[in-house]
Amino acid sequence: MKERLRIITLQKRILQLTFCLFVIFSSSGQVKLPTIFQDGMVLQRHTNIKVWGWASPGEKVRVKFNGKSKTTKTSRDGSWSIELPKMKAGGPFTLKVSGTNEIILNDVLIGDVWLCSGQSNMVHQLDIHDVTYADEIKNVNYSEIRHFKIPTNTDLNGPIKDLDGGKWQKAIGEEVRPFSAVAYFFAKKIYEKYNVPIGLINASVGGTPIEAWISEDGYKNFPKFLEVIERNKDTSYVNSLNGNHNNTISSPLSKDKGLIRETPWYSLDFEPKNWRRINIPGYWEDQGVRDLNGVVWYRREIQLPQSMTGEEAEVFLGRIVNADELYINGKKIAQTTYQYPQRRYNVPKDVLKEGENLFVIRVTNYGGKGGFVPDKPYKIFNERDTVDLKGYWEYKVGEVFPPRDRSSFAGPRRINPQNEPTALYNAMVAPYLEYPITGVLWYQGESNAGRPEEYAELLPALIKDWRAKFTNVELPFIYAQLPNFGDVDYLPTESGWAKLRESQLKSLVVPNTAMTVNIELGEWNDIHPDNKKDVGERMALAAQKLAYKEDIVHSGPLYKSHIIQKDKVIISFLNIGGGLITDDGEELSEFAIAGEDGEYVWANAKIVDNKVVVWSDTVPHPKYVKYAWSDNPDNPNLYNKEGLPASPFRIE
């Protein structure tokens, strides 16, 4: 008992010391604002504007903005906050905060602020898609559309007070390149419609699951996650787990034959012997190289015209699985360390020459098929000429990785903070909860496709959680349903991505939410499709309905109900708009039907009185129907006359 009392007393002293240190840290004698308060920021219209920060305990702080002024005193811990009255859209204004020092923020606008979050398809900047949107970037001139990229950060212990950097940027010229492409096209559409300043707070991180974005309070009904959250707060526990995994895929000392020799394989002095022929694009497993994880070198002499001599050029190498290094004429040009980015490399003007130029590509693959993804651009070009790089190259294997020892991965899991529950919420959302917003744009789900049923609970939990945190129970929440991706199946099949889309569809039961259907906007060979414009504009259409209260058709057809009449299933839909159509004028496709045995076959389907009738001569007693139920359906052509596609669904 005495020992327990000593422990409790020690804990209290630690807490007191921590509080004193926080006060000392906060009591610098300088008024400080949160990082998100900067020149050029956008504040939310039609709601009380909260300004907060830190200073010395008991210090008098005064805020002046747009003809309004308020004064307060800081609390014992040095924090302070004030609320200014609701204001109309407008600006630019000056925000002045005074204490022992003075902070002046210029070019502050009042308009609509949207929180844009999710994983890589929300991250993807216009800069990454600057070929597709070259004209957009060249001509952009929207000084009242502004973007704040939240720095990537994690915290497993709890919500943090402030951000570690970030900057408000305008959609003007080259400054627009770091904007989320989806968010930019959303904002452009809304701005052109309502002529109101738009602020985009972009909190998104590639490859992250939804769990990382929910607060601890949001997990009240998820005991297994609460257990994980509590364990992760123990730093020694986290460090011990990560310290248990010292095995890597290959030795840090390279055994690549192309590098460990005196004359490396990328050198102009190297003379190749016994190299084999291979095609680019293509995977080496499809071209006679079986089950190889390792390093493969590609080599080819490329004939270039005089117009490329002494000139800068660009090389497009599509996408490569997994990592690559490009050498031209013995010089290393560029490299990429993972599979997803499109390879677009700048070649300095002193590298190329007229006639033969040696191109060497070192490709490293860690699992699955390695090589060059088909149906992508492979070329070198400048303003005057283009040379195709597709065709036959020579290849040689530089290193073979031994099969992984799966036993080395047994035992406790390794922790990657950005994948852990609450970690991204704590560091990338919590610091600005007092910053009012119009609504949320959410594009995420790829990282949860392996657990689709769980997503049907987690997405509503996220929505409820963020609404509570931003103190707005009706906060508009708009999310993107996953697009098509992967190989096309020409027989009815099961699909993790289809199940994830179903979980997203089910989440529409949450009030004041909208889902954009993007089933035709993806690419079979790229999890980051180029078409970000249509995704953003469909989100803008949903925002017109939810946030701006427009009486419009904002979505494609959604399954509503069905009846079975003998051998036919008759399906009714929501959001039929001007009527159901096929977008290509052909018969309906991608409907599958099954009887009691659950064995699906392709079905006949037709539109009758704005309903869809589905049947098959081989299924006399239908019980199940699916539409567009695969990772990448071949031709999902059910639309409404407004040009919006129907969501995939299944009837059970």
Side-chain angles (χ1 to χ4, degrees), residues 232-292:
N232 286 348
K233 292 178 182 178
D234 184 344
T235 304
S236 60
Y237 164 77
V238 173
N239 290 340
S240 69
L241 287 186
N242 289 345
N244 286 335
H245 296 259
N246 296 317
N247 295 294
T248 55
I249 293 172
S250 62
S251 169
L253 298 175
S254 176
K255 300 176 183 178
D256 183 354
K257 298 175 184 177
L259 293 177
I260 61 178
R261 51 182 291 123
E262 185 176 344
T263 306
W265 289 356
Y266 60 79
S267 171
L268 288 171
D269 297 327
F270 171 69
E271 296 183 9
K273 296 179 181 179
N274 302 316
W275 286 50
R276 296 173 179 267
R277 193 169 76 162
I278 197 167
N279 196 63
I280 291 180
Y283 301 107
W284 59 62
E285 274 84 354
D286 297 332
Q287 301 183 72
V289 183
R290 180 181 298 173
D291 298 332
L292 172 67

Side-chain angles (χ1 to χ4, degrees), residues 117-347:
S117 190
Q119 58 182 106
S120 53
N121 275 307
M122 184 60 84
V123 173
H124 260 227
Q125 308 95 329
L126 276 168
D127 189 49
I128 293 176
H129 302 274
D130 62 353
V131 174
T132 301
Y133 300 118
D135 290 341
E136 190 75 40
I137 295 171
K138 180 180 179 181
N139 299 313
V140 63
N141 187 24
Y142 296 98
S143 65
E144 292 190 337
I145 296 177
R146 302 183 179 182
H147 180 273
F148 188 100
K149 179 65 174 76
I150 303 294
T152 299
N153 194 14
T154 61
D155 198 295
L156 296 175
N157 294 306
I160 64 175
K161 297 291 184 181
D162 199 8
L163 301 170
D164 185 21
K167 181 182 179 182
W168 284 98
Q169 294 178 294
K170 301 177 184 179
I172 300 177
E174 293 294 299
E175 200 173 337
V176 79
R177 285 183 175 272
F179 278 46
S180 159
V182 167
Y184 165 75
F185 286 113
F186 166 87
K188 179 184 176 184
K189 197 76 173 177
I190 295 297
Y191 181 79
E192 290 179 341
K193 174 75 174 178
Y194 300 106
N195 196 32
V196 170
I198 302 294
L200 303 168
I201 300 176
N202 179 4
S204 50
V205 180
T208 55
I210 192 172
E211 303 94 273
W213 295 100
I214 302 173
S215 80
E216 184 171 356
D217 291 335
Y219 283 113
K220 289 179 179 177
N221 297 321
F222 299 87
K224 72 170 186 176
F225 284 111
L226 289 175
E227 291 177 9
V228 173
I229 293 166
E230 195 59 34
R231 286 200 302 266
N232 286 348
K233 292 178 182 178
D234 184 344
T235 304
S236 60
Y237 164 77
V238 173
N239 290 340
S240 69
L241 287 186
N242 289 345
N244 286 335
H245 296 259
N246 296 317
N247 295 294
T248 55
I249 293 172
S250 62
S251 169
L253 298 175
S254 176
K255 300 176 183 178
D256 183 354
K257 298 175 184 177
L259 293 177
I260 61 178
R261 51 182 291 123
E262 185 176 344
T263 306
W265 289 356
Y266 60 79
S267 171
L268 288 171
D269 297 327
F270 171 69
E271 296 183 9
K273 296 179 181 179
N274 302 316
W275 286 50
R276 296 173 179 267
R277 193 169 76 162
I278 197 167
N279 196 63
I280 291 180
Y283 301 107
W284 59 62
E285 274 84 354
D286 297 332
Q287 301 183 72
V289 183
R290 180 181 298 173
D291 298 332
L292 172 67
N293 297 328
V295 178
V296 177
W297 292 74
Y298 290 71
R299 176 187 176 97
R300 183 178 171 186
E301 297 279 356
I302 303 292
Q303 293 285 332
L304 297 180
Q306 190 277 333
S307 60
M308 288 190 175
T309 302
E311 299 286 340
E312 292 183 352
E314 284 191 79
V315 171
F316 281 10
L317 292 177
R319 283 183 52 239
I320 300 174
V321 183
N322 295 102
D324 65 282
E325 299 171 16
L326 170 65
Y327 300 86
I328 301 178
N329 293 329
K331 297 181 179 180
K332 185 174 179 178
I333 303 302
Q335 71 176 51
T336 302
T337 58
Y338 63 111
Q339 65 173 305
Y340 292 116
Q342 295 191 42
R343 274 51 170 185
R344 294 172 177 170
Y345 297 146
N346 295 318
V347 182

Side-chain angles (χ1 to χ4, degrees), residues 514-647:
M515 180 186 74
T516 65
V517 179
N518 309 296
I519 193 61
E520 87 288 27
L521 300 183
E523 299 176 23
W524 75 269
N525 57 6
D526 202 332
I527 203 168
H528 304 125
D530 251 348
N531 190 346
K532 296 292 188 281
K533 182 177 182 180
D534 284 338
V535 179
E537 291 189 346
R538 288 177 184 177
M539 284 185 153
L541 200 63
Q544 288 178 240
K545 178 74 171 183
L546 288 191
Y548 300 98
K549 308 304 180 185
E550 298 273 356
D551 184 16
I552 59 171
V553 178
H554 70 290
S555 167
L558 304 177
Y559 167 79
K560 179 183 178 183
S561 62
H562 72 279
I563 59 173
I564 298 175
Q565 290 185 352
K566 297 183 179 179
D567 62 343
K568 293 180 173 61
V569 181
I570 302 172
I571 305 170
S572 300
F573 294 85
L574 302 170
N575 301 319
I576 63 174
L580 298 180
I581 62 169
T582 58
D583 72 321
D584 54 8
E586 302 294 326
E587 294 181 355
L588 282 171
S589 62
E590 297 303 316
F591 280 89
I593 196 168
E596 186 70 36
D597 60 4
E599 296 294 326
Y600 282 92
V601 297
W602 291 125
N604 302 302
K606 65 179 180 179
I607 298 168
V608 179
D609 295 331
N610 283 323
K611 298 179 181 180
V612 172
V613 181
V614 185
W615 77 98
S616 170
D617 294 339
T618 63
V619 182
H621 303 291
K623 187 172 181 180
Y624 307 104
V625 173
K626 293 179 179 180
Y627 170 69
W629 195 265
S630 69
D631 291 356
N632 186 9
D634 179 45
N635 182 34
N637 62 351
L638 177 60
Y639 282 66
N640 57 29
K641 287 186 178 179
E642 284 71 17
L644 298 171
S647 169

Side-chain angles (χ1 to χ4, degrees), residues 31 34 45 75 79 152 175 233 282 318 331 359 398 413 438 469 471 486 541 557 588 629 645:
V31 175
R45 63 173 173 156
S75 60
S79 64
T152 299
E175 200 173 337
K233 292 178 182 178
K331 297 181 179 180
F359 281 60
R413 64 192 179 95
T438 297
K469 294 302 183 183
T471 62
L541 200 63
L588 282 171
W629 195 265

